[in-house]
Amino acid sequence: MARTESTGSTWRYRWAHRQNERLRREFRGAEQAWRRRDDELRRLRTLAEEFHGSTAAGAGLPLELAPDEVVFWVLPAAQLVEVRHTAVLPAPDLTIAPETAPLRARRPDGVRVADAGMAVITNRRLVLLGGRGRRDWAYGKMTGLAHDPHAPVTLMQVLDRRRTSGLMLPADVAADFRFKLALAFADAIEQRGAVLDQLDEAIAEHAQLKPFPPTVATPGQARPFAFVPGGRRTVAVAAGIALLVPAALLDTDPADPTGSEVAVAATPAPSGTAAPKTAPPVAPPKAARVSAPRRDTTSPSPTPARERRCGAPANPMGYDFCGGNRIRKPAVGICDWFDCVPEFWAGRGYLVQCRDGSVSLTGGRRDACAEHDGVRRTVWS
């Protein structure tokens, strides 16, 4: 037997079930992405603390090490690249790059491959042992360093070489190479602690972004438009058609059925002949007189203005998409009238609508509606 107590009908229960399934899927996806980033930051923190080279690591390499030089990392396959045009690179720094999209294994425009061989990172320099010779980039002479954000290419400038050059590595090891090169450079200038502090700060900031489990949707929160296929958009389109069709019918002016009779009566008699004398017209009795329909020439009375919402759902708070003031502290019952994103109240910004129709309190932030296809528009009061 269908359940109808307290909420009216079973469609409300089906709506609540679908909502809860969607919220759980979104939460699981957000939590998995958060954990991947958290694991990566903690791995980098451990690596930065335990990353120490040794002289033994350079055994067997065709490279003569200085007395206090140790090898941090050896990469068997790397390509030497040179820039065809003159370029000015930013000065080397210890900034740990944030998580980026996967690098594509392609060579940027204006860069040519000059050699290939083995890359070696020490505490004093970066070395490429290529087939055509050796190329060194000493940290003490390095004036510029840049990592391509889309390709696994790192370019460097040093004082004793005019042409800008660098390394192109396999895409799957480029991120590790860049981080270990930053650690080696930090050791060379005795700033390993600055890298550790930066990673600790990144871990603390990321911990504040941990997603919370979603609030369970109940059948009582279902709105009538949830029962209609297409939801709120279908209701909005139907309401617009219902308002436009009567207005179009009212603007149509039907033809006057008495017009032809008036035109015949007003036609003058032919010239040259006397009009026959006729008896004066006798007015019909008052009971039989039928008045012709008279057109109303007065302007129609203005219709009361409809509530201005610009596509926003009807709500007692008066929130709309038309314009006004940004909403940073929405009413407590907003989620009864709008489709709120998971962890809506954890947002730190102003009220916006995402592209999937839900609303979020993350307006003004770079990650606004990140899990909901981006920001569509602002909600105003």
Side-chain angles (χ1 to χ4, degrees):
M1 182 175 180
R3 298 175 62 185
T4 58
E5 71 279 5
S6 75
T7 55
S9 60
T10 56
W11 69 266
R12 295 180 180 271
Y13 291 91
R14 291 194 295 269
W15 174 88
H17 176 73
R18 290 193 302 269
Q19 285 291 99
N20 289 323
E21 285 294 321
R22 179 179 64 84
L23 295 176
R24 280 192 290 268
R25 285 195 304 270
E26 293 176 354
F27 169 72
R28 285 194 296 267
E31 186 182 37
Q32 290 174 1
W34 182 89
R35 289 192 180 279
R36 284 194 300 269
R37 180 58 177 164
D38 186 68
D39 292 342
E40 176 65 12
L41 289 174
R42 295 184 184 278
R43 184 187 71 85
L44 294 178
R45 176 63 173 79
T46 303
L47 178 62
E49 191 172 14
E50 300 176 354
F51 186 66
H52 301 290
S54 66
T55 307
L61 296 177
L63 177 65
E64 184 178 352
L65 302 176
D68 59 344
E69 188 174 12
V70 295
V71 175
F72 281 145
W73 195 49
V74 177
L75 181 64
Q79 292 179 312
L80 172 66
V81 295
E82 294 180 344
V83 179
R84 294 190 177 95
H85 56 274
T86 303
V88 178
L89 303 182
D93 59 20
L94 300 179
T95 303
I96 303 300
E99 185 180 20
T100 58
L103 300 175
R104 293 178 292 176
R106 65 174 183 84
R107 179 164 48 88
D109 297 335
V111 172
R112 71 179 186 90
V113 176
D115 200 356
M118 179 185 300
V120 181
I121 297 178
T122 76
N123 61 334
R124 303 277 296 275
R125 55 185 169 163
L126 171 64
V127 184
L128 177 73
L129 303 174
R132 299 181 180 179
R134 192 185 74 190
R135 180 68 63 90
D136 291 17
W137 295 272
Y139 305 140
K141 298 180 180 180
M142 193 175 294
T143 60
L145 175 67
H147 303 295
D148 193 302
H150 306 294
V153 173
T154 296
L155 298 177
M156 291 160 285
Q157 289 175 333
V158 290
L159 291 173
D160 56 355
R161 191 177 301 113
R162 294 181 57 187
R163 178 169 292 183
T164 301
S165 59
L167 294 180
M168 181 172 178
L169 306 111
D172 56 340
V173 299
D176 266 357
F177 166 80
R178 294 175 179 183
F179 182 69
K180 291 173 181 176
L181 181 62
L183 290 178
F185 185 79
D187 269 6
I189 61 176
E190 299 181 355
Q191 291 293 325
R192 177 76 70 100
V195 177
L196 293 174
D197 293 341
Q198 190 178 161
L199 288 171
D200 289 336
E201 183 178 353
I203 291 173
E205 290 180 355
H206 185 68
Q208 297 179 358
L209 301 177
K210 184 176 182 179
F212 293 93
T215 304
V216 177
T218 62
Q221 295 174 341
R223 293 290 171 262
F225 58 76
F227 186 64
V228 180
R232 187 185 294 111
R233 292 184 179 179
T234 303
V235 174
V237 171
I241 295 175
L243 293 173
L244 291 175
V245 171
L249 294 177
L250 289 175
D251 289 341
T252 304
D253 187 14
D256 186 357
T258 62
S260 59
E261 297 179 4
V262 173
V264 173
T267 303
S271 58
T273 59
K277 293 184 179 181
T278 57
V282 179
K286 289 185 179 181
R289 178 176 297 177
V290 178
S291 60
R294 184 174 57 184
R295 297 177 62 183
D296 186 4
T297 58
T298 61
S299 59
S301 59
T303 58
R306 296 190 300 273
E307 182 182 356
R308 190 181 67 144
R309 294 195 301 270
C310 300
N315 62 91
M317 296 84 71
Y319 296 167
D320 57 40
F321 300 141
C322 302
N325 299 319
R326 288 194 174 103
I327 306 167
R328 296 186 179 273
K329 294 182 179 180
V332 176
I334 181 175
C335 295
D336 293 338
W337 304 92
F338 289 81
D339 182 13
C340 296
V341 301
E343 298 308 319
F344 171 82
W345 296 106
R348 296 293 183 268
Y350 54 83
L351 192 62
V352 293
Q353 185 190 38
C354 306
R355 292 188 182 276
D356 64 354
S358 59
V359 295
S360 171
L361 200 55
T362 56
R365 296 173 59 93
R366 288 184 299 177
D367 58 347
C369 292
E371 302 294 332
H372 302 272
D373 303 330
V375 177
R376 181 184 180 187
R377 51 188 169 182
T378 302
V379 184
W380 307 91
S381 64

